[in-house]
Amino acid sequence: MTASSTSPDAASSSSEARRHAARRLLQAGIDNAALEARWLVEHVTGASETPGCWTPGMTAALEEAVDRRLAGEPFWRILGEREFWGLPFRLSPATLEPRPDSETLIATALELLGARRQDPLRILDLGTGTGCLLVTLLSECPAATGIGIDLLGEACETARTNAALNGVAGRALFRQGSWTDGLDGRFDLIVSNPPYIPSADIATLDAVVRDHDPLLALDGGRDGLDPYRIFAGTLRGRLADGGHVLLEIGAGQEEDVKAIMREGGFIWLESRCDLGGHPRALIFALH
Ligand code: GLN
């Protein structure tokens, strides 16, 4: 042990504990060590950091969190929560971490809806995961209702928790299933951030994604495009008159996804780029 790694038992206050955690994170080469240490301290104190209220239990919890971080676990997984569109979303092993790139889909949807945001829209979110897309849209569209579908019951549970956490539980329904199988009704807006990584590329992904995001949420089949083929073949009957389909895509998939959807009778209207300048959200309609 070096002089800088003071024994955690000596951490008599949260600021001392925070400095100790920051030093350990920094020594391990973590970029935002100071910020992460601050957030981890807030996490173990339940976000109410009151001087003088630091307990040995909190020291132990912080040490454990830092140990997990040093073992390579993503910061947000340790927190068990990640922010999306300024809203909190709980994570579970069955769900992808919501990513800022997917906020492109939300911005695009809201722009597309314009004044219709106030209407009693029906929204469908396929492969809902944490529910981040549906819950965010419902929080932005006060009269809308929606259904989120996921293959995993555990993801549906997490999404329900997130709907409640963000005050939209009364307008959101989550159901376990495979895409639109057995689903009736038509929707004004259908959104999806499907698994779109080609199976063979999974092994080459950043370890943070590969080892901690669920495979099911990543793997889009041989060429990564399987979910879009399903959408092209099934969404026609689920779209209301004047409705739109908004799909997130991965790197280099824009032309392929446009072609697949065109074969399903959809018209491509527009593509929107993420903050990195890559086409990320594609808008489709039927007429
Ligand atoms: N819809 C969720 C999200 O955008 C889950 C996506 C997924 O699991 N591929 O984060």
Side-chain angles (χ1 to χ4, degrees):
M1 284 246 165
T2 62
S4 58
S5 16
T6 322
S7 155
D9 298 335
S12 56
S13 70
S14 64
S15 55
E16 216 172 301
R18 174 166 51 76
R19 280 195 297 275
H20 175 70
R23 274 195 300 271
R24 289 188 67 204
L25 294 167
L26 194 65
Q27 279 166 358
I30 289 179
D31 283 345
N32 298 316
L35 193 60
E36 288 199 8
R38 175 178 296 278
W39 284 344
L40 288 176
V41 166
E42 280 177 19
H43 177 61
V44 303
T45 56
S48 62
E49 197 184 333
T50 323
C53 282
W54 189 257
T55 64
M58 289 175 183
T59 300
L62 182 64
E63 282 297 294
E64 194 209 318
V66 173
D67 288 346
R68 285 169 64 184
R69 189 72 184 106
L70 299 191
E73 202 171 326
F75 180 73
W76 306 108
R77 290 269 168 208
I78 296 168
L79 242 57
E81 188 169 302
R82 183 162 181 178
E83 199 180 87
F84 180 81
W85 201 258
L87 303 173
F89 285 89
R90 298 267 157 82
L91 308 173
S92 76
T95 64
L96 199 71
E97 273 184 37
R99 301 298 206 284
D101 282 341
S102 303
E103 292 178 345
T104 311
L105 221 72
I106 302 294
T108 306
L110 296 181
E111 216 174 295
L112 190 66
L113 291 170
R116 290 205 300 142
R117 257 167 88 166
Q118 307 303 326
D119 294 354
L121 302 163
R122 292 201 67 203
I123 303 173
L124 176 64
D125 177 15
L126 298 170
T128 198
T130 56
C132 64
L133 297 179
L134 180 63
V135 167
T136 302
L137 288 169
L138 292 180
S139 83
E140 292 284 351
C141 303
T145 55
I147 301 182
I149 297 184
D150 203 282
L151 204 49
L152 298 180
E154 190 186 347
C156 292
E157 273 308 310
T158 306
R160 269 181 213 114
T161 302
N162 286 326
L165 191 64
N166 289 292
V168 301
R171 294 185 284 126
L173 192 76
F174 294 97
R175 75 179 233 176
Q176 186 179 3
S178 175
W179 306 119
T180 57
D181 280 3
L183 187 71
D184 295 324
R186 291 185 182 262
F187 299 84
D188 303 293
L189 187 62
I190 301 178
V191 297
S192 184
N193 172 22
Y196 51 62
I197 311 289
S199 307
D201 292 358
I202 305 267
T204 69
L205 292 177
D206 193 300
V208 164
V209 176
R210 187 193 61 216
D211 300 341
H212 298 279
D213 277 316
L215 182 63
L216 196 63
L218 300 171
D219 192 345
R222 193 184 48 78
D223 60 1
L225 300 169
D226 284 357
Y228 304 101
R229 293 192 184 93
I230 292 169
F231 298 157
T234 56
L235 295 189
R236 219 185 148 74
R238 301 278 68 83
L239 202 59
D241 263 359
H244 293 95
V245 176
L246 240 81
L247 303 177
E248 177 164 331
I249 58 162
Q253 293 179 328
E254 184 182 17
E255 293 313 318
D256 286 336
V257 172
K258 280 189 202 170
I260 289 169
M261 292 297 282
R262 196 179 307 122
E263 280 200 22
F266 288 88
I267 300 163
W268 166 80
L269 296 182
E270 218 181 304
S271 300
R272 290 293 175 86
C273 292
D274 57 27
L275 293 174
H278 306 290
R280 183 63 67 180
L282 269 49
I283 313 174
F284 297 95
L286 278 174
H287 310 289

